Every structure is written in structure tokens, then in C-alpha cells.
Amino acid sequence: MQLQLVRNATLKLRYAGMTFLIDPDFGERFSRRSFTGRAPNPMVPLPSPVEEIVAGVDLVIVSHLHADHFDDVAKASLPKDVPLICQPGNELAIRSSGFGSVTPLEAPLRLGTIVIEPQPAQHGTGSVVETMGPVMGFSLQAAGEPTLYWCGDSVLYPPLAAAVAAADPDVIVTHSGGALWDGTLIIMDAQQTVDLARAAPRATVVATHLEALDHCTVSRDALRDHAAKAGIGPDRLRIPLDGEVVTIG
């Protein structure tokens, strides 16, 4: 398994002979509004040209329709015939952008030798959940590959913790930037990332969604330091840079 962090939540994943593109956001640096007044978003550029990022992609996964997970530049740049998987309820909006092969992930789905399964996610707590709207996580399994659990834009809450325990994954991808909305945490922060790593001691955790949006509060260095103080080192917690490729298994 090769996982390349593009930027923020955008990943390019090579898994069991397929290349997945997850939550594509290709907007130029500072091309969208600020959430907090700190800086326009995204705050960092893409590490490579869009044409290079989309090259060879077999399937796109869109977890939800927030601009930092599926933006207008991605909609315009991706081939309209590329197969696309989304959470139930988003398929009509995606098809309206011209994509012809859109499948809502309502139950485990087989893609050749790969099984992709929807997993629970919650984009915050309290009333903010309704404001953020529904989101999804997913897991991937294939013979001869590490089992991957992708948490998505979610806080660590009981259904996610239970699903991770049931899946017993080899690799967990977290969104660990500690983003806030109206003062409420809407994705994992450093402590929740550490708590999840402790709850899944067999897994390698790959932390993403860092340093690209102005409402995130956790930097890579802060996460690394917090984890080290908790006894979780770089062998358990990988924090890739934009453009970096992580190979596991």
C-alpha cells in the first residue's frame, strides 16, 4: 500500500492494483474565503500540478461536499467518466456536475479483489453536527494488503471507536488538525489522535488534514510533540508532509 498525502485531506492511494483519489481539493492557494480571519484558504499550495495528481486514477472517493474535500477545480479537472463513490445523498449533486458513474456507498462494495465498506463519522458534536452535515468514513480490505480504516472528517466518538475496534485495521488515517467551528471541535485534535492510537495499538496511524486551513489549530510539530509525550513515536504515528508518499506493508 502506498499512500500519498497531496494536501489537507486529499490522498492518492495505491491499493491492490488500483489507484484511488480521495477527497480531491485542487484550489489554488488563498483562492477561497477565510474561516477565522487568519488567512484565505487553502493556506498552502498543491505540491504538484493537478494533471500529475489525477494521472492514473482509477476511482475517486468523495466523503462529503465541503469545498476542502471536493472543490470546483476538482470538478472541472477530473475526467467526467471516472468512477466515483460518495456518501448516500450526495450522488445527485455530483452527477449534476457532469460525472456519469457515481455510486453511493450504502453497504460493503466489491471492487475486484477489494472490499470498501462505509464507516461511521461525525463532523463535530452538539448542534454543530447539523451545521456541518453528514459525512462518512470507510474501510478497505484486500488479500495481501494492510486493512485501511479512513476516519474522514470526524471527531473521536463512540460509534467510530467501536467501528475501529471491530475492523482491527493495520492502518488508520485520521484528520488531526483540530479544526474548530463556533468554538467546537469538528475533527480530531492531538489528544483524540493519541486516544485513537492507544485504542488500536496494532495500527499505524497516518495523520492528515493539517496546516492547510485557517480554522485548524494543531500543527504537525504540535501533534508530533503531544504524541511523543504520550509515548507514541514515529513508528506508530506517521505525519506526512504534503506530497510525501507513505509505504506500508
Side-chain angles (χ1 to χ4, degrees), residues 219-229 232 234 237 239-241:
S219 69
R220 288 179 170 93
D221 285 345
L223 176 59
R224 188 178 294 109
D225 290 347
H226 189 86
K229 290 174 182 175
I232 297 173
L237 178 63
I239 309 174
L241 299 172

Side-chain angles (χ1 to χ4, degrees), residues 23-103:
D23 279 6
D25 169 17
F26 298 152
E28 292 186 5
R29 187 186 188 199
F30 299 150
S31 62
R32 296 195 299 267
R33 69 178 180 89
S34 168
F35 294 126
T36 67
R38 181 158 64 103
N41 290 301
M43 298 193 301
V44 295
L46 289 171
S48 53
V50 171
E51 295 78 14
E52 182 178 319
I53 296 167
V54 303
V57 169
D58 298 306
L59 185 141
V60 176
I61 301 174
V62 174
S63 67
H64 63 298
L65 299 181
H66 290 173
D68 61 310
H69 295 262
F70 192 45
D71 77 326
D72 289 341
V73 181
K75 293 172 190 175
S77 302
L78 291 165
K80 291 300 186 285
D81 60 351
V82 67
L84 194 150
I85 289 174
C86 66
Q87 69 167 336
N90 288 168
E91 60 269 25
L92 292 180
I94 295 172
R95 288 174 186 147
S96 73
S97 296
F99 294 94
S101 178
V102 183
T103 303

Side-chain angles (χ1 to χ4, degrees), residues 54-207:
V54 303
V57 169
D58 298 306
L59 185 141
V60 176
I61 301 174
V62 174
S63 67
H64 63 298
L65 299 181
H66 290 173
D68 61 310
H69 295 262
F70 192 45
D71 77 326
D72 289 341
V73 181
K75 293 172 190 175
S77 302
L78 291 165
K80 291 300 186 285
D81 60 351
V82 67
L84 194 150
I85 289 174
C86 66
Q87 69 167 336
N90 288 168
E91 60 269 25
L92 292 180
I94 295 172
R95 288 174 186 147
S96 73
S97 296
F99 294 94
S101 178
V102 183
T103 303
L105 188 61
E106 300 174 312
L109 177 67
R110 182 170 289 278
L111 307 166
T113 64
I114 302 168
V115 175
I116 179 170
E117 184 172 352
Q119 299 292 352
Q122 182 174 292
H123 207 349
T125 57
S127 62
V128 167
V129 175
E130 184 175 353
T131 302
M132 292 293 103
V135 295
M136 75 169 184
F138 64 84
S139 57
L140 291 174
Q141 299 179 63
E145 289 280 3
T147 300
L148 172 69
Y149 190 108
W150 188 86
C151 295
D153 261 11
S154 182
V155 294
L156 179 58
Y157 75 125
L160 187 151
V164 168
D168 189 26
D170 301 294
V171 180
I172 302 171
V173 177
T174 60
H175 291 177
S176 298
L180 300 176
W181 193 268
D182 289 339
T184 298
L185 192 68
I186 57 173
I187 59 174
M188 294 184 203
D189 60 6
Q191 186 57 53
Q192 289 194 355
T193 304
V194 164
D195 290 343
L196 183 58
R198 285 173 166 164
R202 200 178 64 79
T204 298
V205 177
V206 181

Side-chain angles (χ1 to χ4, degrees), residues 14 121 210:
R14 293 172 178 84
L210 296 153

